[in-house]
Amino acid sequence: MAVARRTPAAHSGAPTTMSLRPLLSLLDQDPNGVALARDGGRAFVSLSMRPFMVGALLDGVDGAAALGRPAIVVAGDDRQARDLAADLKAWLHPRPVRFYPSRGVAYESHLSPPPHLVGLRVAALDSMIAAAQPVGSGGAVATADAGEPPVVVVSAVALSEKVPDPALRPQSHVLRVGDLMDLEEEATALVAMGYERVDQVEDRGQFAIRGGILDVYPATEDRAVRVDLFDIEIESLRFFSTFTQRSLGETQAIEIAPAAELALEHREGAEEAGVADEDDRPDISELLPVDRFHAFLDLAPADVVLLVAAEEEIAPALADHWQDVCAAFHDEEAHNLYVPPKAIAAALSEAHITLSSISGDQAMQFRAQAADVAARSLKDAEPELEKLVRGGYRTVVSWPRRGEGERAAYNLARLKARWIGESEPGGNRLVEPELVFTTASLRDGFVAAGIRVAIIPEHRLFRRKRAERTGGQSANQRRRGALRSFADLRTGDIVVHEDHGLARFAGFETKTVGGVTRDYLELEFAGTDRVFQPVDQLAKISRYVGAGGNHPPLSKLGGK
């Protein structure tokens, strides 16, 4: 029998594109992990270790059943699925990982799901469909995922909602430099695709026209696009920041994916019924072509690998959702638009691997404790790291930014830290106990005695006192300082970063990191320390609100 082999992860020399993927092969050293990846089954996995285990079972073991195949990973609710997808993106990079959320609105509400959710759903579903097609036969989403089979993380609630046949969607189209385009015709087409016309584009599914310029935020893109016309010819296509309006780079073509799951003729009837009197409102199943709605799993490729990541969360989530559905629908009507819990449970019982964080009768168990060093400074953290290394643990600390890790490595007194992929040929492999740094954003870490591995995110290595994190502000003061927009900030303003403490806002910078160009807020801390915060993480920052005109000293990074 031919044994599948792992494809080595692409590794860039640029430090900003470091991948955690090579660390997944550490599971290859655990006989139970190898057996689970190859043969499947049920297992207990500690909650803190779940993202690593899911990634390793899909991609870290030679001969694993999931190698080279698309995968669907099932979590409990949308929040859990979203967080797991974010973690898997860090662990599996550059393999595509997509999050498939629920609609956000019930079918019985007669409302269309918001465009940003439609974009996520369309991208995830299309990546699954494209995985069953020859390379090069799909659209932009298929092209982006063509290198490796995708991993789609879906919630149990999303599985319970039937999906309109993709043929019922508005057709996507591609804008290319040099093509001819009539602005009003394009505006009409965008409205039919579910886009909203606004004065200024801020979110997915919106477009604006100013003179001979079309701004559009495609439902499946991470950035908005500015279309400049010379008469009726597309002269340029430029990504731009919706915060600062600055250009973030040019492109020769962009796919405009639909911002609605149903074509206009199907949406109009449902939306009109939604504003009618409740007594006169027809059932939604009478307005939609329900005979062309399918279960999500029925649209997956035949060779897809199904992995249940949180068995204990599935049944409660499905039961709660089905109760809400049946309160609004008769049983027969509910079956037209939703999949009953029993049907989903039957499908998930065929999953190749089922994981649970509740210990029971599982034959295999993978235990770990949460990584929470909570040191107040690097001086306090170093003995804890040294203890792990001397205890035989391959110890990895992940830093959100390379500069912070380099500063910590320089200031270590006894330990020496190397970066993954550096210092020696084949430096991605961790064989002996040592301290290794990498750049990645992880929510949680773990310390696993079975495979002698410790993964510690920077924010779990250091723990500031509450006063340091909040600049001494009360909860009411922090609420008063909440920022609604980047426009609320002025250069020189004192702000509070929820992870790093008190800083001075120094302005905006446009930077290219990991091949992606976007805007950052430049924050100055004590000394020469600086942090560049992505503008899409504005929620982490609030304006400092204190008594009088004075403020406490600026915080020091790393707690030093």
Side-chain angles (χ1 to χ4, degrees):
M1 181 181 71
V3 177
R5 304 293 294 181
R6 281 178 285 109
T7 303
H11 181 74
S12 167
T16 55
T17 57
M18 285 185 180
S19 174
L20 295 174
R21 197 170 178 181
L23 302 178
L24 298 176
S25 62
L26 293 169
L27 188 64
D28 218 349
Q29 302 169 22
D30 186 325
N32 284 334
V34 172
L36 185 61
R38 292 178 178 174
D39 305 327
R42 298 175 65 245
F44 164 83
V45 175
S46 295
L47 188 61
S48 62
M49 198 180 182
R50 180 186 290 166
F52 167 84
M53 281 297 299
V54 172
L57 291 169
L58 295 178
D59 207 88
V61 175
D62 288 338
L67 287 180
R69 297 164 60 184
I72 293 176
V73 178
V74 184
D77 58 28
D78 277 357
R79 181 186 58 80
Q80 293 165 349
R82 181 199 63 210
D83 291 345
L84 180 57
D87 287 337
L88 288 178
K89 285 181 180 180
W91 282 108
L92 292 172
H93 177 79
R95 184 173 177 178
V97 177
R98 298 192 177 274
F99 166 46
Y100 183 87
S102 63
R103 298 177 76 248
V105 291
Y107 279 115
E108 57 270 25
S109 70
H110 295 72
L111 298 174
S112 298
H116 72 278
L117 293 183
V118 173
L120 292 171
R121 288 164 63 87
V122 166
L125 186 58
D126 283 357
S127 70
M128 280 278 114
I129 295 173
Q133 300 174 350
V135 174
S137 61
V141 171
T143 302
D145 290 356
E148 296 188 73
V151 175
V152 173
V153 185
V154 57
S155 68
V157 173
L159 285 184
S160 71
E161 299 169 337
K162 287 192 175 180
V163 186
D165 191 297
L168 294 173
R169 281 190 221 143
Q171 293 297 308
S172 63
H173 61 275
V174 177
L175 302 180
R176 293 184 176 86
V177 173
D179 283 355
L180 303 182
M181 184 186 76
D182 181 277
L183 266 179
E184 289 308 316
E185 289 182 0
E186 181 66 18
T188 301
L190 288 171
V191 170
M193 295 171 68
Y195 284 77
E196 176 190 9
R197 186 166 183 170
V198 294
D199 293 331
Q200 182 172 318
V201 169
E202 294 181 350
D203 205 350
R204 290 185 181 91
Q206 295 180 338
F207 75 96
I209 295 177
R210 295 176 291 107
I213 296 176
L214 168 67
D215 289 345
V216 59
Y217 203 143
T220 55
E221 288 289 331
D222 292 327
R223 297 173 290 179
V225 175
R226 179 158 292 153
V227 184
D228 282 309
L229 296 177
F230 179 75
D231 194 15
I232 60 171
E233 180 182 347
I234 298 178
E235 188 173 34
S236 67
L237 295 169
R238 290 177 292 142
F239 293 112
F240 72 94
S241 166
T242 57
F243 289 89
T244 65
Q245 301 297 306
R246 293 177 179 174
S247 176
L248 301 179
E250 295 191 4
T251 183
Q252 291 300 303
I254 187 73
E255 182 185 34
I256 308 299
E261 293 185 310
L262 290 168
L264 185 60
E265 61 266 26
H266 299 303
R267 300 199 311 271
E268 282 182 329
E271 291 171 357
E272 290 173 3
V275 298
D277 292 337
E278 190 170 349
D279 294 338
D280 300 329
R281 185 182 301 169
D283 290 330
I284 189 68
S285 57
E286 298 174 9
L287 301 171
L288 300 178
V290 294
D291 57 322
R292 300 179 65 185
F293 278 52
H294 311 283
F296 176 82
L297 293 177
D298 291 343
L299 297 174
D303 64 338
V304 72
V305 172
L306 190 58
L307 188 153
V308 177
E311 181 185 23
E312 71 280 7
E313 303 288 347
I314 304 298
L318 290 175
D320 289 345
H321 185 252
W322 189 249
Q323 184 177 3
D324 293 340
V325 168
C326 291
F329 278 126
H330 296 299
D331 188 63
E332 183 177 348
E333 293 171 339
H335 283 71
N336 288 328
L337 292 168
Y338 295 93
V339 183
K342 287 184 179 180
I344 297 175
L348 297 185
S349 68
E350 302 296 323
H352 178 64
I353 296 172
T354 299
L355 306 179
S356 174
S357 60
I358 297 179
S359 182
D361 59 352
Q362 301 96 333
M364 289 174 278
Q365 301 201 352
F366 302 89
R367 296 187 176 274
Q369 65 185 64
D372 204 353
V373 177
R376 295 182 59 184
S377 66
L378 183 64
K379 182 179 179 180
D380 293 338
E382 185 171 9
E384 300 299 323
L385 296 174
E386 188 175 23
K387 188 186 303 181
L388 287 169
V389 174
R390 288 185 174 180
Y393 284 86
R394 284 142 315 172
T395 305
V396 180
V397 178
S398 68
W399 303 86
R401 287 163 290 275
R402 172 79 180 224
E404 293 180 21
E406 289 180 338
R407 186 162 49 246
Y410 177 80
N411 287 311
L412 288 171
R414 297 180 299 278
L415 288 174
K416 181 179 180 181
R418 71 174 178 89
W419 290 85
I420 287 182
E422 298 182 0
S423 301
E424 59 184 63
N428 285 338
R429 294 184 58 82
L430 295 182
V431 180
E432 300 297 328
E434 60 176 325
L435 177 62
V436 177
F437 285 177
T438 188
T439 52
S441 295
L442 294 175
R443 289 183 308 115
D444 295 302
F446 63 90
V447 179
I451 55 176
R452 310 304 286 177
V453 172
I455 307 292
I456 308 173
E458 179 264 352
H459 65 274
R460 296 296 185 186
L461 184 63
F462 300 116
R463 179 66 56 85
R464 297 179 185 275
K465 292 186 297 184
R466 185 174 183 85
E468 291 175 340
R469 295 199 308 271
T470 63
Q473 296 186 108
S474 67
N476 286 335
Q477 287 175 317
R478 294 196 300 278
R479 281 194 293 271
R480 292 202 304 272
L483 298 172
R484 292 170 296 178
S485 165
F486 75 95
D488 292 342
L489 287 174
R490 297 290 181 270
T491 301
D493 282 352
I494 303 301
V495 298
V496 180
H497 191 290
E498 69 176 35
D499 295 329
H500 303 303
L502 215 64
R504 180 180 290 106
F505 173 61
F508 291 99
E509 287 285 340
T510 301
K511 290 180 173 289
T512 300
V513 179
V516 177
T517 303
R518 57 179 175 172
D519 290 323
Y520 292 81
L521 284 72
E522 183 179 355
L523 304 179
E524 297 177 343
F525 290 84
T528 59
D529 291 343
R530 294 173 184 264
V531 165
F532 291 88
Q533 184 78 19
V535 292
D536 57 7
Q537 296 178 19
L538 189 66
K540 283 181 170 285
I541 298 169
S542 60
R543 185 187 289 107
Y544 176 79
V545 179
N550 298 324
H551 61 82
L554 300 182
S555 301
K556 297 180 180 179
L557 292 183
K560 302 190 293 293

